[in-house]
Coordinates of all heavy atoms in Angstrom, one line a residue:
G786 N 15.9 -15.3 -5.8 CA 15.0 -16.2 -6.6 C 14.0 -17.0 -5.7 O 12.8 -17.1 -6.1
E787 N 14.3 -17.3 -4.6 CA 13.4 -18.1 -3.6 C 12.3 -17.1 -3.2 O 11.2 -17.4 -3.1 CB 14.1 -18.7 -2.5 CG 15.0 -19.9 -2.8 CD 15.9 -20.3 -1.7 OE1 16.3 -19.5 -0.7 OE2 16.4 -21.5 -1.6
M788 N 12.7 -15.9 -3.0 CA 11.7 -14.8 -2.5 C 10.7 -14.6 -3.6 O 9.5 -14.6 -3.3 CB 12.5 -13.6 -2.2 CG 13.4 -13.5 -1.0 SD 14.1 -11.9 -0.8 CE 15.4 -12.4 0.6
V789 N 11.2 -14.5 -4.8 CA 10.2 -14.2 -5.9 C 9.3 -15.4 -6.1 O 8.1 -15.2 -6.2 CB 11.0 -14.0 -7.2 CG1 10.1 -13.9 -8.4 CG2 11.9 -12.5 -7.1
E790 N 9.8 -16.5 -6.2 CA 9.0 -17.8 -6.3 C 8.0 -17.9 -5.2 O 6.8 -18.2 -5.5 CB 9.8 -19.1 -6.4 CG 9.0 -20.4 -6.6 CD 9.9 -21.6 -6.7 OE1 11.1 -21.5 -7.0 OE2 9.3 -22.7 -6.6
T791 N 8.4 -17.7 -4.0 CA 7.5 -17.9 -2.8 C 6.3 -16.8 -3.0 O 5.1 -17.1 -2.7 CB 8.2 -17.6 -1.5 OG1 9.2 -18.7 -1.4 CG2 7.3 -17.8 -0.3
L792 N 6.8 -15.6 -3.2 CA 5.7 -14.5 -3.3 C 4.7 -14.7 -4.3 O 3.5 -14.5 -4.2 CB 6.4 -13.1 -3.4 CG 7.2 -12.6 -2.3 CD1 8.1 -11.3 -2.7 CD2 6.3 -12.2 -1.2
L793 N 5.2 -15.1 -5.5 CA 4.3 -15.3 -6.7 C 3.4 -16.5 -6.4 O 2.2 -16.5 -6.7 CB 5.1 -15.5 -8.0 CG 5.7 -14.2 -8.5 CD1 6.5 -14.6 -9.8 CD2 4.8 -13.1 -8.7
N794 N 4.0 -17.6 -5.8 CA 3.1 -18.7 -5.6 C 2.1 -18.5 -4.5 O 1.0 -18.8 -4.7 CB 4.1 -19.9 -5.1 CG 4.8 -20.5 -6.3 OD1 4.4 -20.4 -7.4 ND2 5.9 -21.2 -5.8
S795 N 2.5 -17.8 -3.5 CA 1.6 -17.4 -2.5 C 0.4 -16.5 -2.8 O -0.7 -16.6 -2.4 CB 2.3 -16.9 -1.2 OG 3.3 -17.8 -0.7
W796 N 0.9 -15.6 -3.8 CA -0.1 -14.5 -4.2 C -1.2 -15.2 -5.0 O -2.3 -14.8 -5.1 CB 0.7 -13.5 -5.1 CG -0.2 -12.4 -5.5 CD1 -0.9 -12.3 -6.7 CD2 -0.5 -11.2 -4.9 NE1 -1.6 -11.2 -6.7 CE2 -1.5 -10.5 -5.6 CE3 -0.1 -10.6 -3.6 CZ2 -1.9 -9.2 -5.2 CZ3 -0.5 -9.3 -3.2 CH2 -1.5 -8.7 -3.9
S797 N -0.8 -16.2 -5.8 CA -1.7 -16.8 -6.8 C -2.4 -18.1 -6.3 O -3.6 -18.3 -6.6 CB -1.0 -17.1 -8.1 OG 0.1 -18.0 -7.8
L798 N -1.7 -18.9 -5.5 CA -2.2 -20.1 -5.0 C -2.5 -20.2 -3.5 O -3.1 -21.2 -3.0 CB -1.2 -21.2 -5.3 CG -0.8 -21.4 -6.8 CD1 0.2 -22.5 -6.9 CD2 -2.0 -21.7 -7.7
G799 N -2.2 -19.0 -2.8 CA -2.4 -19.1 -1.4 C -1.1 -19.6 -0.6 O -0.1 -20.2 -1.3
M800 N -1.2 -19.7 0.7 CA 0.0 -20.0 1.4 C 0.4 -21.5 1.2 O 1.5 -21.9 1.4 CB -0.3 -19.8 3.0 CG -0.6 -18.3 3.3 SD 1.0 -17.3 2.9 CE 0.4 -15.8 3.4
T801 N -0.7 -22.4 0.8 CA -0.4 -23.8 0.7 C 0.3 -24.0 -0.6 O 0.7 -25.2 -1.0 CB -1.7 -24.5 0.7 OG1 -2.6 -24.1 -0.4 CG2 -2.3 -24.5 2.0
G802 N 0.5 -23.0 -1.5 CA 1.2 -23.2 -2.8 C 2.7 -23.1 -2.7 O 3.4 -23.2 -3.7
W803 N 3.3 -23.1 -1.6 CA 4.8 -23.0 -1.4 C 5.4 -24.2 -2.0 O 4.9 -25.4 -1.8 CB 5.1 -22.8 0.0 CG 4.9 -21.5 0.6 CD1 4.1 -20.6 0.0 CD2 5.5 -20.9 1.8 NE1 4.1 -19.3 0.8 CE2 4.9 -19.6 1.9 CE3 6.3 -21.3 2.7 CZ2 5.2 -18.8 2.9 CZ3 6.7 -20.4 3.6 CH2 6.2 -19.2 3.9
G804 N 6.5 -24.1 -2.8 CA 7.3 -25.2 -3.2 C 6.8 -25.6 -4.6 O 7.5 -26.4 -5.2
W805 N 5.7 -25.1 -5.0 CA 5.3 -25.5 -6.5 C 5.4 -24.2 -7.4 O 4.9 -23.2 -7.1 CB 3.8 -25.9 -6.4 CG 3.6 -27.1 -5.6 CD1 3.4 -27.2 -4.2 CD2 3.8 -28.5 -6.1 NE1 3.3 -28.5 -3.8 CE2 3.5 -29.4 -5.0 CE3 4.0 -29.1 -7.3 CZ2 3.5 -30.8 -5.0 CZ3 4.0 -30.4 -7.3 CH2 3.8 -31.3 -6.2
P806 N 6.0 -24.4 -8.4 CA 6.3 -23.3 -9.3 C 5.2 -22.9 -10.3 O 5.3 -21.8 -10.9 CB 7.4 -23.8 -10.3 CG 7.2 -25.3 -10.4 CD 6.6 -25.7 -9.1
W807 N 4.0 -23.5 -10.2 CA 3.0 -23.1 -11.1 C 2.3 -21.8 -10.9 O 2.0 -21.2 -11.9 CB 1.8 -24.3 -11.1 CG 2.4 -25.6 -11.1 CD1 2.3 -26.6 -10.1 CD2 3.2 -26.3 -12.0 NE1 2.9 -27.8 -10.4 CE2 3.5 -27.6 -11.6 CE3 3.7 -25.9 -13.3 CZ2 4.3 -28.5 -12.3 CZ3 4.5 -26.7 -14.0 CH2 4.7 -28.0 -13.5
G808 N 2.2 -21.4 -9.7 CA 1.8 -20.1 -9.5 C 2.6 -19.0 -10.0 O 2.2 -18.0 -10.7
A809 N 4.0 -19.1 -9.8 CA 4.9 -18.3 -10.4 C 4.9 -18.2 -11.9 O 5.0 -17.1 -12.5 CB 6.4 -18.6 -9.8
V810 N 4.9 -19.3 -12.5 CA 4.7 -19.4 -14.0 C 3.5 -18.7 -14.4 O 3.5 -17.9 -15.4 CB 4.8 -20.9 -14.5 CG1 4.5 -20.9 -15.9 CG2 6.0 -21.5 -14.1
L811 N 2.3 -19.0 -13.7 CA 1.1 -18.3 -14.2 C 1.1 -16.8 -14.1 O 0.8 -16.1 -15.0 CB 0.0 -18.9 -13.4 CG -1.4 -18.2 -13.7 CD1 -1.9 -18.4 -15.1 CD2 -2.5 -18.8 -12.5
V812 N 1.5 -16.3 -12.9 CA 1.5 -14.9 -12.7 C 2.6 -14.3 -13.6 O 2.4 -13.1 -14.2 CB 1.8 -14.6 -11.2 CG1 2.0 -13.0 -11.0 CG2 0.6 -15.0 -10.3
G813 N 3.7 -14.8 -13.7 CA 4.9 -14.2 -14.5 C 4.4 -14.2 -16.0 O 4.7 -13.2 -16.6
S814 N 3.7 -15.2 -16.4 CA 3.3 -15.2 -17.9 C 2.2 -14.1 -18.1 O 2.3 -13.3 -19.0 CB 2.8 -16.5 -18.3 OG 3.7 -17.6 -18.1
L815 N 1.2 -14.0 -17.2 CA 0.3 -13.1 -17.3 C 0.9 -11.5 -17.3 O 0.5 -10.6 -18.0 CB -0.8 -13.2 -16.2 CG -1.7 -14.3 -16.4 CD1 -2.6 -14.5 -15.1 CD2 -2.5 -14.2 -17.6
A816 N 1.8 -11.3 -16.4 CA 2.5 -10.0 -16.2 C 3.3 -9.8 -17.5 O 3.2 -8.6 -18.1 CB 3.4 -10.0 -15.0
A817 N 4.0 -10.7 -18.1 CA 4.7 -10.5 -19.3 C 3.8 -10.2 -20.4 O 4.1 -9.3 -21.3 CB 5.6 -11.7 -19.6
W818 N 2.7 -10.9 -20.6 CA 1.8 -10.6 -21.6 C 1.1 -9.4 -21.5 O 0.9 -8.6 -22.5 CB 0.7 -11.8 -21.6 CG -0.5 -11.5 -22.6 CD1 -0.5 -11.7 -23.9 CD2 -1.8 -11.0 -22.2 NE1 -1.7 -11.3 -24.3 CE2 -2.5 -10.9 -23.4 CE3 -2.3 -10.8 -21.0 CZ2 -3.9 -10.5 -23.4 CZ3 -3.7 -10.3 -21.1 CH2 -4.4 -10.2 -22.2

Side-chain angles (χ1 to χ4, degrees):
E787 290 171 334
M788 292 180 191
V789 171
E790 181 179 339
T791 299
L792 288 171
L793 291 178
N794 286 339
S795 301
W796 184 270
S797 57
L798 301 177
M800 296 299 181
T801 58
W803 287 18
W805 296 91
W807 313 119
V810 171
L811 173 63
V812 175
S814 300
L815 288 174
W818 173 74

